Amino acid sequence: METATLQLLAELEAEDGWPAERWASVLDRTARLFLCSIESLSASKIDLFDRVLIRLIDHVDTPSLAMLSRKLSEAKCALPQVSRRLAFDENEAVWAPILKSRAMAQAILLDVIQLRGPAHHLAIAARHPIDSLLSDALIGRGGSAVHHALAENLGAKISEAGWARLAELAQNDERLAEILDRRADIPGPIKRGIHAKVEDAHMRRLSARPRVMRDQIEDTVASRAATRLPDPEPSDLARVQAQMVELSRQGKLRDSTVNRFAAAREYVEVAAALALLTGSPIDVIRALIAGDKIEGLVLACKAARLTWGTTSMIVKNRPGLPPVPAAELEKAKETFSSFCLSAAQRTVRF
């Protein structure tokens, strides 16, 4: 076998005059032969394919190497020299597929982590599975994106020291803390510390939101957005306000009533109803209805004890205004759900 190998390699070396297409064809056929016979190959034959392919690689272009990397990434055993050569190639199309190979030697992956940069680290962090030695190396060398990817990879085994380091990093990285908090395999004491960090950050965000929303409501009112709506005649406004008071006295100023006003685009009635239900001046409610940002209006609806169905009806049917984008409406729904009634009422009345 050794003699045959040396003879074949010598013949390949003698053919330096072949065009690139010929070398690529030989490389492809050799790789296919390796993959087709891989189940029955002895260690010496695997070594032969490794030595032949590593010689062929130097004569082909990047697309041929990328194709070889994709094919070998699915192989059940690795060719050590070829795998290392592909893993350290400068072109991502070549190194990315082979780094996914389950047969890749751990020593090569560790060398890649030590000698290559963030893109290589991310590719390894996405492998499934990853043992704790690789994970710890990634934690030590990688940046925040690598830490996030590793923490999200449920196939990544991490040592206790690795968990402790990730928990330490999470003290200044809320996103990482949230990802870690969802992992069930973190040691108990570390898990409790991460959970406390996430809960604290959540409470701080909740406490800051009313102030942010008050500022938004003030900006909307100050922008004189209400001037976008036609001014009702004073007598009509007085009549509608008196109607809302009477409906309230009779216990009929309910969610379904406001929903009917919104569906009919009777926005004087909608504004008067929201003003009475929230205890806000009607000019403030009119400004929120006509404002560019809808979250203030959504909060007023929440403070008025309306359902999301009625709230979305009010938002979608605002007179003379363009439709609200779906993403903005979804964000408004999140605001509606996250505010409790008392917080919404305090914010709007302020």
Side-chain angles (χ1 to χ4, degrees):
M1 175 63 72
E2 182 65 22
T3 302
T5 299
L6 292 175
Q7 182 179 352
L8 176 58
L9 294 176
E11 291 175 0
L12 290 173
E13 289 296 330
E15 296 295 344
D16 282 336
W18 280 355
E21 295 80 5
R22 179 78 178 274
W23 285 110
S25 176
V26 173
L27 176 72
D28 181 61
R29 293 203 307 271
T30 306
R32 279 189 285 146
L33 179 60
F34 167 70
L35 293 171
C36 289
S37 56
I38 198 169
E39 299 286 352
S40 59
L41 291 178
S42 64
S44 60
K45 289 181 179 178
I46 291 173
D47 178 66
L48 169 60
F49 274 107
D50 196 22
R51 296 171 67 182
V52 170
L53 285 170
I54 200 68
R55 296 295 182 92
L56 293 171
I57 280 174
D58 292 334
H59 297 280
V60 300
D61 56 12
T62 296
S64 297
L65 290 180
M67 182 179 297
L68 176 65
S69 183
R70 290 194 297 272
K71 287 179 178 178
L72 295 183
S73 69
E74 301 296 329
K76 293 183 179 180
C77 71
L79 301 171
Q81 294 184 74
V82 174
S83 295
R84 179 176 289 275
R85 167 64 179 81
L86 296 175
F88 279 90
D89 194 88
E90 296 298 327
N91 194 296
E92 184 173 357
V94 177
W95 59 255
I98 199 66
L99 287 184
K100 298 177 183 178
S101 170
R102 292 195 175 192
M104 175 73 81
Q106 185 182 78
I108 297 176
L109 293 171
L110 286 170
D111 285 347
V112 172
I113 292 170
Q114 291 297 320
L115 301 173
R116 290 306 197 200
H120 291 74
H121 297 163
L122 273 174
I124 296 174
R127 285 170 56 87
H128 191 95
I130 305 177
D131 70 18
S132 58
L133 189 62
L134 288 177
S135 294
D136 287 355
L138 287 169
I139 293 169
R141 299 283 298 181
S144 60
V146 174
H147 299 148
H148 294 176
L150 190 63
E152 287 178 330
N153 185 348
L154 298 181
K157 294 181 179 179
I158 301 174
S159 69
E160 187 164 349
W163 286 125
R165 177 55 181 157
L166 286 175
E168 182 183 347
L169 293 168
Q171 293 302 311
N172 297 308
D173 186 339
E174 287 188 11
R175 172 65 179 149
L176 178 58
E178 290 172 357
I179 297 170
L180 291 174
D181 192 42
R182 297 195 293 267
R183 291 286 298 245
D185 51 347
I186 300 180
I190 298 174
K191 174 77 169 180
R192 287 191 290 273
I194 291 170
H195 187 69
K197 158 76 176 174
V198 171
E199 286 294 302
D200 179 64
H202 179 63
M203 293 305 297
R204 282 189 281 107
R205 284 196 297 270
L206 287 180
S207 64
R209 290 195 74 185
R211 177 68 260 179
V212 172
M213 294 305 303
R214 287 199 296 268
D215 291 345
Q216 183 178 312
I217 290 171
E218 289 174 357
D219 290 344
T220 300
V221 174
S223 71
R224 299 183 62 79
T227 58
R228 299 179 184 178
L229 299 177
D231 286 325
E233 292 293 331
S235 58
D236 289 340
L237 180 57
R239 174 184 58 77
V240 169
Q241 287 178 308
Q243 178 189 1
M244 296 305 120
V245 170
E246 180 61 20
L247 286 172
S248 179
R249 187 186 67 80
Q250 297 176 13
K252 295 180 179 180
L253 189 56
R254 298 187 292 261
D255 181 86
S256 58
T257 308
V258 181
N259 192 300
R260 286 196 297 272
F261 292 146
R265 296 180 180 269
E266 295 174 343
Y267 266 74
V268 176
E269 284 79 356
V270 170
L274 285 177
L276 183 59
L277 290 169
T278 62
S280 303
I282 193 168
D283 288 342
V284 169
I285 299 300
R286 280 168 49 80
L288 295 179
I289 290 172
D292 291 324
K293 296 182 178 179
I294 62 172
E295 287 185 302
L297 174 58
V298 166
L299 213 57
C301 293
K302 178 80 173 194
R305 300 175 184 269
L306 301 182
T307 63
W308 172 248
T310 295
T311 300
S312 61
M313 179 70 73
I314 292 171
V315 170
K316 292 175 181 177
N317 289 339
R318 295 181 300 161
L321 294 171
V324 178
E328 188 176 345
L329 194 62
E330 188 62 30
K331 182 180 177 183
K333 183 178 181 180
E334 192 177 303
T335 297
F336 183 90
S337 300
S338 64
F339 267 80
C340 66
L341 177 63
S342 59
Q345 290 173 336
R346 286 196 304 271
T347 302
V348 173
R349 285 172 184 166
F350 178 89

